[in-house]
Amino acid sequence: MVKVPVIKLSNGKPIPQLGLGTWQSKPGEVVQAVKDAIDIGYRHIDCAFVYGNEPEVGEAISAKIAEGVVKREDLFITSKLWNTFHRPDLVRGALLKTLQNLKLDYLDLYLIHWPQAYKEEGELFPADADGKIQFSDVDYLDTWRALEPLAREGLARSLGLSNFNSKQVERVLQAASVKPVVNQVECHPYLNQKRLQEFCEARGIKLTAYSPLGSPDRPWAKPGEPQLMDDPKLQTLAARLGKTVAQILIRYQIERGIIVIPKSVTRSRILSNYQVLDFALAPEDVTLIDSFHCNGRLVPMTASLGHKYHPFENDEF
Ligand SMILES: NC(=O)C1=CN([C@@H]2O[C@H](COP(=O)(O)OP(=O)(O)OC[C@H]3O[C@@H](n4cnc5c(N)ncnc54)[C@H](OP(=O)(O)O)[C@@H]3O)[C@@H](O)[C@H]2O)C=CC1
Ligand SMILES: O=C1CO[C@H](CO)[C@@H](O)[C@@H]1O
């Protein structure tokens, strides 16, 4: 099978352009999903503490290393610092906990999951009596400065951001001595992130596309809400090319030089999502898909609207 393209990050480290997402992959399903993915050829797994399944992802990784299918150095493992651990004195412990969960001694990439912090040392979604998330005003620059020594120590080979808007990215770049190399953001045809991609790439930061299939299992989707993969224009294109809509959506990001991390716990889909390496989209098809952009954000993080660092409230991109 054709190999997944590898992108060189601005710090010289390679990242496989296609990875497996793990949000909402239940502990009982994710062990097999990650094992299947590694058997199929995936070498990049996207994790996060808040997904609640790092121990099981780690179990699958350890099993495949023990079987001799892969070596640790063949894998690219990303995880993310959750919002309740932004306070500088909590950052090291959070990373060590993630490493312990994943049974690893280093991560390839550690991201600040969101720029906005939540009240520390309690629930991961600390809510008041009315169900409103309780914020913390820790500045993400202080969080970043706490991450830098951990990268120097080798606990994370690269550092990055997630859900940071262009102004927030710039603010980190101005303060950072270890530069962020990735910004992981929602990205698919309805929200193609063209401006953010251009902005970040001009500054040595690659985008990773999350929810590339439109996250049909997102918990806040309203019943009957149209799904990206059901879009008739995409279905027509997929039929013309003899591919599935999911394959078109994944290949779209590969054509654009964006890293892409579709999630599935279904072996047949994990396989077909990987079978995107032996065909290309014509430039006019990429342009056609680009034209579907409608600022259609599917992960708006409404729970923390009003936070001074909410990335999607005040700034254009
Ligand atoms: N940094 C951040 O804030 C965020 C990061 N992420 C990351 O990005 C990953 C991907 O995004 P996510 O929101 O999960 O959504 P995706 O867009 O990857 O969609 C996942 C859903 O699509 C289904 N699916 C997968 N492949 C196919 C296929 N070939 N045909 C039909 N349906 C398919 C999956 O079902 P099934 O599993 O049942 O097969 C699942 O329901 C996450 O898992 C996570 O790792 C996501 C959101 C936010
Ligand atoms: O990665 C993510 C998916 O789930 C979380 C909510 O539970 C989001 O906050 C986050 O962006």
Side-chain angles (χ1 to χ4, degrees), residues 23 51 82 113-114 125 163 210 299 301:
W23 175 38
Y51 300 163
W82 183 240
H113 204 144
W114 288 88
F125 294 88
N163 296 300
Y210 78 63
V299 186
M301 199 51 153

Side-chain angles (χ1 to χ4, degrees), residues 176-218:
S177 54
V178 177
K179 301 291 180 198
V181 292
V182 160
N183 190 16
Q184 182 181 121
V185 293
E186 180 182 340
C187 185
H188 46 71
Y190 293 167
L191 184 75
N192 66 31
Q193 301 283 15
K194 258 197 161 175
R195 293 176 75 188
L196 188 62
Q197 182 186 15
E198 215 175 278
F199 181 93
C200 284
E201 290 196 353
R203 290 160 179 78
I205 297 175
K206 296 300 290 185
L207 289 196
T208 297
Y210 78 63
S211 305
L213 309 179
S215 201
D217 56 348
R218 65 196 184 282

Side-chain angles (χ1 to χ4, degrees), residues 10 26 36 43 56 82 88-89 147 149 219 257 274 286 288 295:
S10 57
K26 295 188 186 69
D36 287 342
R43 294 294 177 262
E56 292 76 15
W82 183 240
D89 62 297
L147 284 167
Y274 190 81
V286 173
L288 174 71
N295 221 12

Side-chain angles (χ1 to χ4, degrees), residues 12-228:
K13 307 252 162 58
I15 181 170
Q17 205 179 342
L18 174 61
L20 180 77
T22 61
W23 175 38
Q24 299 196 103
S25 301
K26 295 188 186 69
E29 312 167 318
V30 77
V31 178
Q32 194 56 45
V34 172
K35 285 181 178 175
D36 287 342
I38 292 174
D39 286 339
I40 286 165
Y42 288 74
R43 294 294 177 262
H44 169 179
I45 315 287
D46 184 75
C47 318
F49 180 78
V50 77
Y51 300 163
N53 56 11
E54 282 181 332
E56 292 76 15
V57 173
E59 193 185 310
I61 293 170
S62 302
K64 286 292 150 190
I65 293 174
E67 272 178 47
V69 177
V70 279
K71 300 202 227 10
R72 171 64 185 96
E73 57 269 31
D74 301 329
L75 295 172
F76 191 101
I77 310 296
T78 302
S79 191
K80 316 188 190 87
L81 176 75
W82 183 240
N83 305 1
T84 49
F85 305 102
H86 279 207
R87 215 176 62 206
D89 62 297
L90 299 175
V91 169
R92 185 184 175 84
L95 173 52
L96 291 176
K97 182 67 195 165
T98 272
L99 287 172
Q100 183 192 33
N101 283 343
L102 290 167
K103 295 166 257 303
L104 299 175
D105 50 19
Y106 69 91
L107 290 177
D108 293 278
L109 179 62
Y110 197 42
L111 309 176
I112 301 186
H113 204 144
W114 288 88
Q116 67 274 32
Y118 292 172
K119 181 174 170 287
E120 298 80 7
E121 292 177 294
E123 301 290 310
L124 297 179
F125 294 88
D128 64 16
D130 304 324
K132 194 179 172 325
I133 294 280
Q134 296 175 283
F135 300 158
S136 153
D137 61 5
V138 173
D139 185 336
Y140 53 82
L141 289 189
D142 293 320
T143 309
W144 188 265
R145 291 187 187 107
L147 284 167
E148 290 177 329
L150 306 179
R152 289 202 186 88
E153 223 180 291
L155 296 175
R157 300 232 161 140
S158 298
L159 296 179
L161 308 169
S162 175
N163 296 300
F164 278 55
N165 68 36
S166 56
K167 288 194 179 150
Q168 294 169 329
V169 167
E170 186 62 29
R171 201 166 161 253
V172 173
L173 280 171
Q174 292 307 321
S177 54
V178 177
K179 301 291 180 198
V181 292
V182 160
N183 190 16
Q184 182 181 121
V185 293
E186 180 182 340
C187 185
H188 46 71
Y190 293 167
L191 184 75
N192 66 31
Q193 301 283 15
K194 258 197 161 175
R195 293 176 75 188
L196 188 62
Q197 182 186 15
E198 215 175 278
F199 181 93
C200 284
E201 290 196 353
R203 290 160 179 78
I205 297 175
K206 296 300 290 185
L207 289 196
T208 297
Y210 78 63
S211 305
L213 309 179
S215 201
D217 56 348
R218 65 196 184 282
W220 48 86
K222 297 186 191 79
E225 196 177 337
Q227 296 288 0
L228 176 66

Side-chain angles (χ1 to χ4, degrees), residues 20-22 25 33-34 213 262-270 273:
L20 180 77
T22 61
S25 301
V34 172
L213 309 179
K263 171 263 178 182
S264 178
V265 291
T266 313
R267 194 183 195 283
S268 57
R269 291 171 170 175
I270 297 170
N273 293 349

